[in-house]
Amino acid sequence: MIIINVLNIIAPIAITVFLIGVGVRLGRFAWALATRRRFRGVSPTFEHAPRRLGFFEALHAVLFGPIKHFYKRANPTWGRGYLYYHIAIITEVTGYTISALIVFAHIIFGKPVPDVALHMEESFNYTPANLLALIFGNGESLQSHFLFGDFAPYFVGITWIAVGFAVVGNLHLMVTLLRKRSGAVVADIDQAARGIRTPGRLPWDRLLVRSIIFCIIWTELFARLNLVHGIVYVHALLGLALFTLLPFTYLFHMIYNFIAVYYAVQRRMERTIA
């Protein structure tokens, strides 16, 4: 298959571009971590200061506060899509990460892996295309049995639920985006902001990324249902494309969020944020 040869050629290039991009983007955060800092906390002259929050309470406020107090009210369609999509993406990315670790462990210890193209349970086909098909095709029977053994049916069942959330969530987000309502306020946020509306926009990077994700979701569905022969390689190619774009688009928040959430929780705990 031509697509297998394409994957074998571009995969090393894509991974190199990804690593360089992430390194450049994270450079300033590495410098920030190396610099000694402290949170000043709330001003001592601030009357009726908010109480100090515990770690888990602050974490809950950081993760769920924005969607509860803003997104859900300002743009309900986008808010629902945001919630459903992130349930799906967290589950799927976790599955891909675990799959990648298992595959790389087999390579390090020189153990055989399945050959997806030939439907062989054991081989030493360590080519990028085969490895990507193992990782991104972790919901198919051959790959899931190799990766998770007796736990495979449970993994597939859990990720089927995630795929359902992905379909519904991404459709919500695509509709919002195509109607130019991304970032728009289309409903009342609260009584103080009653009647305030702001127009949305149609940013090219979000349209590109959202379209790729849309195709990734449907190619995964087709691969799981065995509707199109070899479509797992298309699914892997799309996943690789998204992986390459990650440092250069808003998708970088998937990496940056770990840093952002940490500092946001600290600020909540110190009452820097009301």
Side-chain angles (χ1 to χ4, degrees):
M1 296 176 67
I2 296 176
I3 193 169
I4 293 178
N5 295 328
V6 171
L7 276 171
N8 287 332
I9 293 170
I10 69 172
I13 300 172
I15 293 172
T16 302
V17 172
F18 168 81
L19 292 175
I20 293 173
V22 170
V24 171
R25 293 290 299 271
L26 285 180
R28 66 191 186 97
F29 295 113
W31 175 255
L33 290 174
T35 305
R36 184 175 178 81
R37 299 170 183 269
R38 68 181 181 87
F39 291 94
R40 297 182 181 276
V42 68
S43 171
T45 60
F46 184 43
E47 295 184 7
H48 307 295
R51 64 182 178 83
R52 181 181 174 86
L53 300 181
F55 173 79
F56 291 105
E57 192 175 5
L59 180 63
H60 182 273
V62 169
L63 295 179
F64 298 102
I67 190 169
K68 179 180 178 182
H69 299 297
F70 180 76
Y71 300 131
K72 183 179 177 181
R73 300 176 183 178
N75 197 329
T77 302
W78 193 90
R80 285 192 300 272
Y82 177 90
L83 178 62
Y84 297 156
Y85 170 74
H86 277 83
I87 291 173
I89 199 65
I90 290 171
T91 306
E92 291 287 343
V93 169
T94 301
Y96 291 144
T97 303
I98 295 172
S99 301
L101 292 174
I102 293 172
V103 169
F104 292 141
H106 276 70
I107 295 173
I108 291 171
F109 292 105
K111 294 183 177 181
V113 298
D115 189 312
V116 177
L118 299 178
H119 299 283
M120 293 173 55
E121 292 189 0
E122 291 189 357
S123 75
F124 287 92
N125 184 358
Y126 292 162
T127 59
N130 190 57
L131 299 181
L132 288 170
L134 289 172
I135 295 168
F136 285 103
N138 59 14
E140 298 181 54
S141 58
L142 176 65
Q143 293 95 310
S144 63
H145 179 72
F146 158 71
L147 292 166
F148 303 105
D150 293 337
F151 187 72
Y154 301 101
F155 174 81
V156 173
I158 292 170
T159 51
W160 260 120
I161 297 173
V163 170
F165 274 106
V167 171
V168 176
N170 200 59
L171 283 174
H172 276 70
L173 296 177
M174 280 292 287
V175 168
T176 302
L177 191 61
L178 293 175
R179 294 179 68 189
K180 294 185 178 181
R181 288 191 170 184
S182 177
V185 175
V186 299
D188 293 337
I189 300 173
D190 53 27
Q191 190 61 33
R194 185 177 181 84
I196 295 178
R197 302 290 184 268
T198 59
R201 55 197 179 91
L202 184 62
W204 70 268
D205 61 332
R206 291 183 180 269
L207 180 61
L208 172 64
V209 169
R210 190 60 51 199
S211 299
I212 294 175
I213 293 173
F214 185 85
C215 295
I216 286 174
I217 293 170
W218 286 99
T219 52
E220 177 163 0
L221 276 172
F222 293 156
R224 283 173 174 247
L225 297 173
N226 295 316
L227 295 178
V228 181
H229 175 68
I231 199 168
V232 65
Y233 294 105
V234 178
H235 180 65
L237 181 62
L238 291 167
L240 187 63
L242 206 63
F243 185 76
T244 308
L245 289 172
L246 189 147
F248 310 103
T249 63
Y250 74 95
L251 285 174
F252 185 70
H253 76 272
M254 294 177 67
I255 296 176
Y256 169 71
N257 265 2
F258 292 100
I259 301 171
V261 167
Y262 169 77
Y263 283 109
V265 168
Q266 293 295 317
R267 293 171 67 192
R268 288 274 184 177
M269 292 174 65
E270 295 292 341
R271 300 172 296 173
T272 304
I273 302 175

